[in-house]
Each structure stands twice: as structure tokens, then as C-alpha cells.
Amino acid sequence: MGGPALREKIEERFGGRVLDGGAPDGMQTFLVEPDLIVEVCRFLKEDPDLRFDFLADMCGVDHYPEENRFEVVYHLYSIPFIMRARLKCRAGDPPKVPSVMNVWRTANWHEREAYDMYGIQFDGHSDLRRIYMWEEFEGFPMRKDFPLKGYKDAYNPFGEE
Amino acid sequence: MTDVTVLTENKKPGGRTQEVLLNLGPQHPSTHGVLRLVLEMEGEIVSRIDPFIGYLHRGTEKLAEDFTYTQIFPLTDRLDYVCPPSNNLGYALAVEKLLGIEAPIRAQYIRVMMAELARLSGHLLITGALPMDLGAMTALLYTMREREMVMDLLEMISGVRMHTSFCRVGGVREDLPEGFSERVAEFCQVFPQRIADYEKLLAKNRMFLKRTQGVGVISPELAIDMGLSGPNLRASGVDWDIRRDSPYEVYDRLDFNVIVRDGGDCYDRWDCRMEEMRESTRIIEQCMRDMPEGPFQVDLPQVAFPVDKELLQRSMETQIHHFELSAYGFKVPKGEVYVAIEAPKGELGYYIISDGSEKPFRMKVRAPSFVNLQALLGGATNMDYLADVIAMLGSLDPVLAEVDK
Amino acid sequence: MGILENRFRDNVFFSTVDGIINWSRKSALWPETFGIACCAIEMIAAGCSRYDLDRFGVIFRPSPRQSDLMIIAGTVTKKFAPIVRRLYDQMPEPRWVIAMGTCAISGGVYNTYSVVQGSELIVPVDVHVAGCPPRPDALMHGILLLQEKIQKSRVLRRDESEEVIMVG
């Protein structure tokens, strides 16, 4: 089952609420609103002709200085049908997206990483806390307005003031 | 470094029990790097595991937004540091897809051969380190002896034992040296017998079997739901290998088997890797046999340095392109790409968004060990004792630089 | 050594005793297994059969309380820095530190928000072994240099450069 058939199935089920993002690198991309994301993911996982049972990757992107700067990108893979798809979801500012932990268990740490690096809140996540930086760290490092070398302290004299 | 915090105390007939919090700290001989596990324990029984990671978070992704595309190759090397050449391959494929170019056939064979040498190097380390965690130290000394042979081959090609950075966008840095095919043929002849030696040491050893068989069983549905990939997934019975299902480079011309086991316990994961080493040796032999003569780099002056160095002295245009490439880097058209390869640890994916300049807008690395480590959070059966947790951790094969990026 | 340390003037007897103490210390340097990142793999390779470190008396100990050498092999991040300091404090004296690899010496290629730019900012370092990663031979050279440094150190004898001359 290839890209066009996948597009038709999404069109049939969700109508105009899920936009087609084209296929920039051969991978079918869909633009989804945050309140629909869990429903779309569950449909893609459980539909017998699609069976996207593997969440390959989930990440945050910061499109600073655009208006709606934060985005969450999901990469899905179907093991039985050898098919890939991408979902993109703009999260707004302050960023808030429902959690897909109940659809795929692997989303747990991916969401914690997106929270730690970008500050994107995931509603419904059981244990949203920092994963890479230490608990008392302030700021979200991967945002475009956070300096690469961090702020000056005893450990890094090259940081910004 | 172990601290003990008491959680609850129960007075029962026959004695008093305590539920304690045990900190298996970041510095520990068996945690394969800087991993901290906080275990809630009742005596020897572990009821909950909470991994703390991030002690090696170096900011690779943020640094990649500040480096040109060629400068990122050394950063990708240092992600999975036991098998660097395969990380390079994934990244080179992603950038080539963005540019819309393909490396010449000889370069593809060289890159596949280096990726399989990397697979050997990675599997040799973990098949020796898992028994060492369980107490059998001899196995590590044997596998490291073969690993030195693999590193000699890598050093012959690229000059460096570990962080080779040999791939470039559009091919490889240099052609293979003279005398290399004889050394590789020698290695491929000697190596299968050594794998048989390791199996003689461990595969029928009753203590090793008792510690690993039936321990940490992961069912296929749980493995897919948790996002496991690579040997961890195939040991649970799921038949998925990116090299066979979505072939990249020259894997569609090579003949190899995909190793699947159906137990899902620690022993099956270890056994899967042992067999994969045999398959990798076969792939290396085929690569050396089938490699055609030809260029080792694509002939595009905007992207790669000129192959014929004499041209630099004769042609002004070549000099200008060479200067621009060294000083600024090449521009990549706007777009985004996600490319996944079968790294030794699992599915290694690179998601690169380009905004038309010489530096990536966003680079995300889908690290297989980051996802594999989530298997400790719960769901695996028969992992009651602390000793079983150590065996499970060794069989999952996490590399902390990849987990922490 | 307690009250005997740095007490006596230079003479034949104490120089010989110092020589014997230093010889015994340098011939049995026991590092703790403290690999952090990529350099740890080369440290393990240095300890295995080809570049055998055991012939220099080096045996890897799991606990810092039983070791006298700390080889910082890999990038030290800000999250991990307090733990490095704690491990250094747990080691009994005499203790030495080798910073292995450019990340441990100066942060390496990682000049970012989460990496300590050199372990000198946390613990005093005796020998720097450069490389990314340094070959096992380079690490062995570093250990031999440390052994030379230990052989020249003054244990019982007073350190003449610090002597304060009192007049009057």
C-alpha cells in the first residue's frame, strides 16, 4: 500500500481536518491540529490496512522567529506493510500537546526529551520531568534564543553573561 | 557508590522487612557508562526501576546547528562510540538524499564494508562485556583480541582506530590502500573459528545459561510497542531488518540471512548478536569480491573536493570551488528528510531540516539505545533480582553517548 | 604518612627511604574503573591483552576507596561534575589524576551549555594525555610519565622551595 492510498484513507476518515503536507522526501506527511493528534495516531495504529505499530521517532522543532514557533514531528513505521509516514503538529505558544503515551509506550522518553529541550508540555503524560539536564536547570536549551555555549558559570567560562 | 534510603518498614510474623531505595550510581563497573539506576527493592527483589540519564549530554544537536554539513561527521562519530563508521553512513545517506545525489558504486561498497566492520566491532564488545558483568572475565579478553584485529583494519583504511569520519557526502574520503584486500581475506578466514571458540566457552556453560536463559523475557507485542529495534527486537521473534526490507546502498545485491530467535530472553539477545557476526563476515567477503573499480567520490565540484589533485593547480574554477567548500561549506536546498539505517544497536535515524544554507536548521538523531533503554521501565517478565537487572542491562546493549546525545 | 611527611632535611638516608616509598607507590598504581565516554573504550583496550597494563602493576579497582589513580576518560558534563568531585574526595591519599582525551583536558570539540571546559576546573590534574581518543600506547606513555613524576616526588623529605627562612 503506497502513499496515495494512505492519503485517501486519511481523507475518508478525517475529511478536511487533517491537511496533506506533501511528500518532501518520499515520505507522506500530514499536518494535524493538537486536539486531533491522539485520534489520528490511534487510527493509524489500529486500522487493519495501515497498522503503524512502530513509533520510530518524535521530536520538537523551533521555528523561531515565526509566530507559531513550536512544532512536534512524529515519524511512524508499519512493520507488516513496510511503510513510513510523518505527522507534524504545531503546538502554539506556550506549547501544549496531548500525550500519545497510551498509544505507543515508547513515546514516554521522547516526550520527556521534547519537554526538557523545548519546554513543550504534554497533557496526560504520567511523569513529565527533565531527562537530560539536571532538575534545577533553568531554560530550555534547544530553543533558538538559548545561547549555544550557555550562560557563564564556574564550569564554562566561555558562556554568555 | 551505593546509598540506601528506607522507604517503608513492615513488621511481619517472623521478622521485619524494609523496602529500600538503592542507588546504582553513575560510577559503576557494570552500567556500561554513566547510567544511574534507582531501584526500589524489597530484600533482593526489585519492584521498580527508574533510570536517570543525561550525565553525558553534550549538546550534539544544538552544536550541529552551528557546524557545516561536512563538519558534522566527527560529531556523528562520537554518538555510538563502539561502532563509529555506521553512524557516518546514516548521516551521509541523509544529506545525499536532501541533495538528490548518489555516491558511486565503489564508494557504496566501501561504506557498506566499513559499516559491517563496525557491526563486528560493536557486537564483539557487548558479547564480551555481558559475560564479564556476570563474572566470566575471560570472554572479554578473547573478544577484545579480535576487536584489535578489526581496529587494525579500520586504521589501515582511515588512519584512526576509532572515530574514523571516513564517509563524505557523495562518497568516501580516499580509496582503499594497497594490500588491504589480503589483510581482510586473512581476517575473514580466521574469524569464524574464533566465534566458534566463544560459543565453546559460553554457550553450554551452565552458570551462564542459568543467569541468562528465561531472564528478562520481552514479548513481541511489547517489544514493538516499546520501540525496540535491531537484535533486541529480532530476539523476541519479530522479523524486521532495514537492510533487507528497505535496502539502502548495495544491500539489495548482497546475500545475507536475518537472524531471528523466538525466546526474547537475555540469552537469545546475546545469541542473535553472535550469529549476526557470522553474517557480517560473509557480507564483508562478498563486498571485497564484488567491489568494482571506479571513482570513490561523486564528481560534483560544488559538493566534494576534486578527485584529481592536479586539477587544483591547472584550473581556476576548481580552485574557487575548493576554497568555497573549505571556507563556507556547500549549500543544501530547502527541505527535510528522515533516513533510517540498521545500525548494530537498532534503527538509527537522522531527521534533518534544511533551510537552504550551509548549516542544518535542525538535526535530530533517533538513537536506538535511547529507546532500547526504556525496556527497563517495566513490562519484561522474570526480572526480579538485582542480578537479573544487570544481565538485562548488558543484553540490551546501551551505549550512553547515544542515549544522551 | 601523617606526622612524618615533609619533615626531614635532604640526606642519604631519607633520600633512599623516599626512593623506596616512591618505587612501591609507582609500581602498583590502581585506577578505579571510571570510563565516561569514548576514551573508556581505549582505556579498556589498554587494559586488555594486546596493550597489557597489568605488567605495569595497574589493576582496575571498582571502588574509589581502594584506588589511588583516577583516569578521567571522556567528557565531563555539568550534571556529572559534582560526582567526579565526590569520587575524588573519596579516594585516600596519595592520589593522582590523569585527564585522558581532549574532552577531559579542555572540553574538546564540545563548547556547549552542558560541558565542563576541562576537568582542571573540578579536580587537580597531574598528567594530560591528548588525543581524540588517545591510542592505548598514548595512555601507557601517560602512565609511565606519571610514574616518573611519582619517583621524583618528596615524601619524607622537606620540600625545599617552600621553606621559610626565619631570621632573628
Side-chain angles (χ1 to χ4, degrees):
Chain A
M1 168 175 288
L6 170 60
R7 255 206 318 266
E8 275 165 26
K9 282 220 117 184
I10 294 276
E11 186 68 38
E12 175 191 327
R13 172 84 162 83
F14 291 100
R17 293 181 296 160
V18 171
L19 303 171
D20 182 14
D25 58 332
M27 196 185 298
Q28 199 59 42
T29 308
F30 297 103
L31 309 169
V32 188
E33 290 295 310
D35 39 356
L36 264 189
I37 190 75
V38 181
E39 209 186 312
V40 173
C41 288
R42 194 151 278 157
F43 169 68
L44 286 173
K45 180 179 180 190
E46 287 163 3
D47 187 271
D49 294 320
L50 296 177
R51 301 268 304 274
F52 280 102
D53 47 3
F54 189 79
L55 176 66
D57 189 23
M58 207 182 104
C59 62
V61 184
D62 183 9
H63 291 282
Y64 185 80
E66 279 175 28
E67 263 305 305
N68 199 354
R69 63 193 272 209
F70 294 107
E71 189 179 37
V72 183
V73 182
Y74 302 76
H75 287 96
L76 310 176
Y77 180 71
S78 164
I79 297 182
F81 297 116
I82 307 182
M83 197 170 36
R84 287 193 186 263
R86 184 186 291 137
L87 296 176
K88 289 186 175 200
C89 176
R90 288 271 170 163
D93 197 358
K96 246 165 152 13
V97 169
S99 162
V100 296
M101 231 177 94
N102 296 323
V103 185
W104 298 285
R105 275 174 69 150
T106 179
N108 189 351
W109 277 15
H110 287 296
E111 290 178 349
R112 277 180 68 184
E113 184 193 347
Y115 166 66
D116 188 10
M117 295 283 113
Y118 286 99
I120 303 178
Q121 294 279 346
F122 288 93
D123 297 325
H125 193 282
S126 60
D127 185 21
L128 197 66
R129 56 193 157 109
R130 287 199 182 262
I131 192 170
Y132 282 154
M133 308 308 293
W134 57 98
E135 288 293 328
E136 301 84 23
F137 185 79
E138 280 170 20
F140 299 107
M142 284 291 289
R143 290 191 178 182
K144 294 278 182 189
D145 42 1
F146 191 90
L148 170 64
K149 300 184 185 163
Y151 296 106
K152 204 175 203 162
D153 61 4
Y155 291 138
N156 188 346
F158 303 111
E160 295 194 11
E161 296 295 320
Chain B
M1 215 172 79
T2 52
D3 306 313
V4 175
T5 316
V6 175
L7 287 180
T8 55
E9 265 196 43
N10 309 308
K11 268 210 161 51
K12 282 193 209 162
R16 193 185 59 170
T17 63
Q18 281 177 343
E19 207 179 73
V20 297
L21 210 62
L22 183 72
N23 182 36
L24 211 61
Q27 185 264 343
H28 187 96
S30 304
T31 51
H32 299 270
V34 283
L35 171 65
R36 178 175 168 218
L37 292 178
V38 175
L39 309 159
E40 281 178 24
M41 306 188 61
E42 263 176 75
E44 277 276 332
I45 313 267
V46 177
S47 48
R48 207 174 84 98
I49 306 177
D50 193 7
F52 281 77
I53 59 176
Y55 290 98
L56 198 53
H57 177 68
R58 303 184 269 204
T60 308
E61 295 180 348
K62 187 134 183 128
L63 202 51
E65 292 173 8
D66 213 34
F67 277 12
T68 65
Y69 285 93
T70 314
Q71 285 174 332
I72 295 179
F73 277 107
L75 285 182
T76 59
D77 264 338
R78 283 145 180 87
L79 282 173
D80 179 359
Y81 48 72
V82 296
C83 30
S86 69
N87 309 341
N88 288 344
L89 173 61
Y91 175 71
L93 283 175
V95 183
E96 284 168 11
K97 197 159 180 191
L98 266 181
L99 283 171
I101 64 176
E102 212 183 73
I105 295 290
R106 185 176 172 85
Q108 290 188 18
Y109 269 104
I110 296 178
R111 295 201 299 206
V112 163
M113 188 189 64
M114 286 190 76
E116 293 302 318
L117 279 173
R119 192 180 308 271
L120 282 181
S121 155
H123 285 340
L124 276 168
L125 186 68
I126 197 58
T127 48
L130 170 62
M132 186 179 81
D133 287 345
L134 303 180
M137 286 195 60
T138 320
L140 183 74
L141 295 175
Y142 277 59
T143 59
M144 290 299 274
R145 178 188 62 184
E146 264 65 72
R147 200 158 180 268
E148 292 291 331
M149 291 171 72
V150 171
M151 288 198 155
D152 276 345
L153 288 173
L154 286 175
E155 191 179 2
M156 214 176 156
I157 305 178
S158 68
V160 189
R161 282 161 56 104
M162 259 171 73
H163 297 310
T164 50
S165 303
F166 198 61
C167 295
R168 291 286 179 271
V169 173
V172 287
R173 193 178 83 206
E174 276 172 2
D175 208 342
L176 296 176
E178 278 177 29
F180 182 74
S181 38
E182 287 85 34
R183 288 284 289 270
V184 160
E186 225 179 272
F187 172 75
C188 292
Q189 216 176 1
V190 165
F191 191 57
Q193 178 53 40
R194 304 281 166 94
I195 305 182
D197 282 345
Y198 312 146
E199 292 191 326
K200 237 191 294 184
L201 260 184
L202 291 163
K204 300 223 175 51
N205 185 327
R206 272 197 294 177
M207 288 186 286
F208 185 68
L209 293 178
K210 204 85 201 278
R211 290 284 305 262
T212 52
Q213 266 183 344
V215 170
V217 178
I218 303 182
S219 69
E221 297 79 27
L222 184 67
I224 299 176
D225 206 28
M226 282 204 284
L228 296 184
S229 49
N232 296 328
L233 185 63
R234 291 195 283 276
S236 293
V238 180
D239 189 5
W240 175 40
D241 188 330
I242 303 181
R243 295 175 292 173
R244 182 200 57 196
D245 294 335
S246 336
Y248 50 94
E249 299 280 80
V250 290
Y251 278 109
D252 43 359
R253 306 181 200 195
L254 296 170
D255 169 42
F256 59 97
N257 301 323
V258 173
I259 312 291
V260 181
R261 298 273 179 270
D262 52 11
D265 57 16
C266 292
Y267 181 76
D268 284 328
R269 287 189 276 276
W270 180 85
D271 192 36
C272 215
R273 294 188 175 100
M274 292 292 266
E275 284 298 323
E276 280 190 7
M277 286 203 282
R278 288 200 170 96
E279 297 298 321
S280 288
T281 320
R282 281 181 55 210
I283 296 179
I284 296 174
E285 280 172 345
Q286 288 172 48
C287 281
M288 290 310 293
R289 187 190 65 205
D290 298 338
M291 198 184 298
E293 294 297 327
F296 57 85
Q297 209 177 48
V298 76
D299 191 14
L300 280 176
Q302 288 85 3
V303 166
F305 283 162
V307 175
D308 180 15
K309 305 290 182 218
E310 298 294 307
L311 216 55
L312 272 178
Q313 290 167 5
R314 290 198 308 259
S315 152
M316 187 62 190
E317 208 179 302
T318 320
Q319 259 194 343
I320 296 176
H321 283 306
H322 181 260
F323 173 73
E324 280 189 349
L325 275 181
S326 323
Y328 303 115
F330 53 85
K331 286 195 175 18
V332 169
K334 223 167 157 183
E336 59 188 350
V337 71
Y338 177 80
V339 164
I341 64 162
E342 180 80 21
K345 307 282 180 293
E347 172 179 333
L348 173 65
Y350 285 90
Y351 175 51
I352 304 183
I353 305 181
S354 156
D355 57 354
S357 71
E358 320 78 35
K359 303 181 179 174
F361 180 76
R362 166 85 166 113
M363 182 178 97
K364 166 82 168 57
V365 179
R366 190 268 184 200
S369 304
F370 179 67
V371 187
N372 289 348
L373 207 53
Q374 288 191 70
L376 284 178
L377 286 174
T381 56
N382 200 3
M383 206 168 70
D384 298 325
Y385 297 105
L386 179 56
D388 294 340
V389 173
I390 301 290
M392 174 78 166
L393 189 58
S395 71
L396 283 176
D397 194 7
V399 168
L400 266 299
E402 211 178 34
V403 173
D404 289 342
K405 291 199 268 293
Chain C
M1 291 282 151
I3 57 168
L4 291 176
E5 198 157 1
N6 285 340
R7 230 181 111 127
F8 306 102
R9 298 248 171 128
D10 269 4
N11 65 29
V12 170
F13 176 63
F14 288 116
S15 318
T16 321
V17 172
D18 257 359
I20 297 176
I21 295 175
N22 286 333
W23 168 79
S24 65
R25 281 179 181 175
K26 81 170 190 195
S27 311
L29 276 174
W30 286 4
E32 47 166 321
T33 50
F34 188 45
I36 310 177
C38 344
C39 286
I41 304 294
E42 293 292 57
M43 190 171 71
I44 295 175
C48 283
S49 353
R50 190 189 204 179
Y51 305 97
D52 186 17
L53 274 182
D54 203 2
R55 50 192 163 131
F56 300 112
V58 166
I59 305 177
F60 283 93
R61 302 298 302 161
S63 162
R65 304 261 187 212
Q66 300 166 1
S67 59
D68 44 15
L69 173 65
M70 183 157 89
I71 304 182
I72 307 182
T75 323
V76 181
T77 56
K78 293 186 189 175
K79 192 171 179 181
F80 197 53
I83 296 174
V84 173
R85 182 73 219 184
R86 200 199 295 187
L87 287 171
Y88 178 75
D89 290 336
Q90 281 181 342
M91 280 164 63
E93 290 198 359
R95 55 192 175 192
W96 297 276
V97 176
I98 292 183
M100 178 183 177
T102 47
C103 287
I105 297 176
S106 67
V109 75
Y110 296 105
N111 190 355
T112 63
Y113 52 86
S114 66
V115 170
V116 178
Q117 301 297 302
S119 42
E120 275 275 347
L121 297 168
I122 313 173
V123 291
V125 174
D126 293 295
V127 176
H128 298 275
V129 181
C132 193
R135 289 182 62 109
D137 329 33
L139 179 63
M140 284 200 312
H141 181 59
I143 292 184
L144 291 175
L145 280 178
L146 181 65
Q147 286 186 340
E148 278 176 32
K149 178 178 181 176
I150 296 174
Q151 186 64 48
K152 283 191 267 192
S153 65
R154 296 163 156 271
V155 180
L156 293 183
R157 292 168 291 163
R158 200 178 306 158
D159 195 352
E160 299 291 317
S161 60
E162 284 172 11
E163 193 178 73
V164 174
I165 303 186
M166 305 281 274
V167 178

